[in-house]
Amino acid sequence: MIKDIPLRKVEDLAIAIIPPADIASGELWDVYLLNLHPATIASVNYSPKDMARWKEKKENFYLPPFLRRYQPQSVQLIEPLQPTLFELANEYWVSFSMDEHLFDKKYVCSR
């Protein structure tokens, strides 16, 4: 039964989008995952497969999953982000396991 499934809240995990030192330069911004947990987490992440195709047609592209471990109390670069993508809602969906439980959190970054 669904009532028997414990719902655990994702805490101590964040996404940060940091601009370059000179914002007017139009350079790529950096997207970071902040693991503020006292333990390592294993996360299934997604990375762009074909950014060129999106630039030409402005369509969604497939993001193949891969497993990554994030050290405790760490900040890790996820990907660079083009300023032109701020027109869209950028979604980062983080699924990770910790203490034999699966956690899932969706971050939506939009203007």
Side-chain angles (χ1 to χ4, degrees), residues 19-29 81-86:
D22 180 15
I23 294 177
S25 68
E27 292 180 29
L28 297 174
W29 291 43
L81 185 64
Q82 296 177 350
T84 56
L85 295 177
F86 293 143

Side-chain angles (χ1 to χ4, degrees), residues 13-76:
L13 192 71
I15 296 285
I17 301 177
I18 310 296
D22 180 15
I23 294 177
S25 68
E27 292 180 29
L28 297 174
W29 291 43
D30 291 326
V31 180
Y32 292 93
L33 179 82
L34 289 71
N35 177 17
L36 306 174
H37 288 280
T40 299
I41 62 172
S43 174
V44 176
N45 296 299
Y46 298 88
S47 65
K49 180 180 179 186
D50 187 4
M51 189 63 126
R53 186 180 84 215
W54 185 90
K55 283 176 64 178
E56 291 173 9
K57 299 180 182 178
K58 286 210 174 189
E59 64 182 31
N60 291 336
F61 52 88
Y62 173 70
L63 301 175
F66 62 94
L67 183 65
R68 178 179 283 171
R69 296 198 183 283
Y70 294 96
Q71 297 302 316
Q73 304 291 320
S74 68
V75 176
Q76 295 246 280

Side-chain angles (χ1 to χ4, degrees), residues 5-24:
I5 299 173
L7 298 176
R8 291 178 171 78
K9 186 176 177 183
V10 174
E11 296 177 337
D12 300 328
L13 192 71
I15 296 285
I17 301 177
I18 310 296
D22 180 15
I23 294 177

